Amino acid sequence: MPGEFTTVRIDVDPDGIGWLYFARPEKRNAMSPTLNREMIEALDLLEADDAVRCVVLTGDGDAWSAGMDLKEYFREVDDAPPHVEVRARRESAEWQWRRLIHFPKPTIAMVNGWCFGGAFTPLVCCDLAIADEDATFGLSEVNWGIPPGGLVSRALAETLPSRDALWFVMTGETFDGRRASEMRLVNEAVPTSRLRERTTEVARKLAGMNTHVLRAAKVGVKKVRQMSWDTAEDYLYAKLDAATGHDPEQGKQQGLGQFLDDRTLRPGLGAYERG
Ligand code: COA
């Protein structure tokens, strides 16, 4: 896969998993304007590559990401002409929520270590999240004199109960992967020794499924949050018809055939065999 990057890294494995790395371990994978720009490009490459059927976002070294780069994103941009800040904010938002939340393939955040501040946005915008139980999370902004910036508070409102969100935003205290899982900020927390194995297991499962149908399924859940029941009913039926009508592998016909005719499938217990 092409891509000349200095702050991110892509590895595509034969099982269809695209591993996307924050690759600034010496800066604890802090998100600089360069990293934000490169992430947009990297996600475009992963989207276009048919060999990639699931994306895992993780970090090189002992950090997932220490949040926005305090030097390159804050201090240097504060001192630059206004259009530089406008661009830096746009590019940051572009991948951290917009590209990720609507990414057409399944995405998993594999949180391998430090996860602070701005890093909560891409964390929440990945479909699923699996953390090292000893990973350290924190909304540390108040500790250095700002309220959470960017879309961090929006991401928290999406996932955390209000009491927990306010507690951690206001105290700036850290919590570990176990607590992140209890609060449902992540799906699971596992020991360090099992993190990659467990993530690979989940990613492989998703990579082996019908990408077209998974996309419709996840977009449906995300979009209806903002809708009334009336609008959701109309939207979801339209989505269902579009998804099944345009499915290149005609999964519904295969699934129904395997259950009703061949009697080889129990859909309650596992996915249909993709032909
Ligand atoms: N922005 C810019 N640089 C950062 C950074 C960030 N968010 N987080 C870490 N770095 C840099 C440090 O400045 C240091 O650079 P240097 O080696 O050139 O001096 C390097 O990464 C290592 O950081 P260090 O603090 O020595 O590592 P540590 O392992 O002892 O501690 C953290 C790791 C994550 C606890 C600590 O770096 C930290 O608190 N970072 C800021 C986290 C934060 O508040 N993020 C919110 C941003 S919105």
Side-chain angles (χ1 to χ4, degrees), residues 26-28 30 66-71 114 116-118 140-141 144:
E26 72 290 353
K27 297 290 181 189
R28 304 300 181 264
M68 303 311 293
D69 189 304
L70 273 64
K71 178 169 176 283
W114 305 116
F116 284 104
S140 51
E141 288 89 338
W144 59 275

Side-chain angles (χ1 to χ4, degrees), residues 136-257:
T136 302
F137 296 76
L139 280 316
S140 51
E141 288 89 338
V142 288
N143 293 339
W144 59 275
I146 66 164
L151 271 297
V152 169
S153 296
R154 181 66 187 83
L156 294 176
E158 190 71 23
T159 40
L160 290 196
S162 174
R163 289 285 176 222
D164 292 317
L166 287 167
W167 184 279
F168 289 109
V169 161
M170 294 174 71
T171 64
E173 291 172 6
T174 59
F175 54 95
D176 66 10
R178 296 175 193 83
R179 182 87 168 93
S181 172
E182 278 163 24
M183 293 188 292
R184 311 311 295 141
L185 177 63
V186 300
N187 294 90
E188 291 179 10
V190 297
T192 312
S193 59
R194 288 214 58 232
L195 181 64
R196 191 162 177 112
E197 179 194 341
R198 176 62 182 146
T199 307
T200 303
E201 186 183 9
V202 176
R204 245 188 225 146
K205 177 184 168 83
L206 295 172
M209 295 172 75
N210 181 328
T211 311
H212 182 82
V213 169
L214 286 185
R215 180 185 181 196
K218 77 179 204 180
V219 170
V221 170
K222 292 181 186 193
K223 295 270 184 191
V224 294
R225 280 184 188 282
Q226 324 283 346
M227 293 180 194
S228 68
W229 281 73
D230 252 355
T231 314
E233 180 185 9
D234 198 42
Y235 168 82
L236 289 170
Y237 272 114
K239 197 84 196 160
L240 172 67
D241 291 344
T244 48
H246 295 150
D247 181 1
E249 64 182 65
Q250 292 297 294
K252 182 180 173 187
Q253 275 67 31
Q254 293 195 57
L256 289 181

Side-chain angles (χ1 to χ4, degrees), residues 15-148:
D15 292 330
I17 307 172
W19 295 87
L20 174 58
Y21 292 86
F22 295 102
R24 299 180 76 207
E26 72 290 353
K27 297 290 181 189
R28 304 300 181 264
N29 297 325
M31 296 181 286
S32 61
T34 304
L35 182 140
N36 290 331
R37 214 165 295 137
E38 291 188 352
M39 278 291 185
I40 296 171
E41 201 184 320
L43 285 170
D44 281 348
L45 289 173
L46 289 163
E47 180 179 323
D49 186 344
D50 289 338
V52 175
R53 301 180 55 85
C54 179
V55 170
V56 178
L57 178 62
T58 192
D60 273 341
D62 62 3
W64 194 66
S65 169
M68 303 311 293
D69 189 304
L70 273 64
K71 178 169 176 283
E72 293 183 39
Y73 185 84
F74 286 102
R75 178 176 283 169
E76 290 175 6
V77 168
D78 283 349
D79 293 343
H83 73 270
V84 174
E85 181 174 69
V86 169
R87 181 177 176 193
R89 289 182 174 183
R90 184 177 63 236
E91 289 174 341
S92 163
E94 183 57 34
W95 83 271
Q96 289 175 19
W97 82 268
R98 200 174 278 111
R99 297 278 167 116
L100 269 183
I101 211 165
H102 299 306
F103 200 71
K105 303 174 184 182
T107 53
I108 304 175
M110 182 176 95
V111 185
N112 55 304
W114 305 116
C115 177
F116 284 104
F120 277 63
T121 306
L123 168 64
V124 168
C125 291
C126 286
D127 303 325
L128 305 178
I130 302 176
D132 184 322
E133 53 189 30
D134 293 323
T136 302
F137 296 76
L139 280 316
S140 51
E141 288 89 338
V142 288
N143 293 339
W144 59 275
I146 66 164

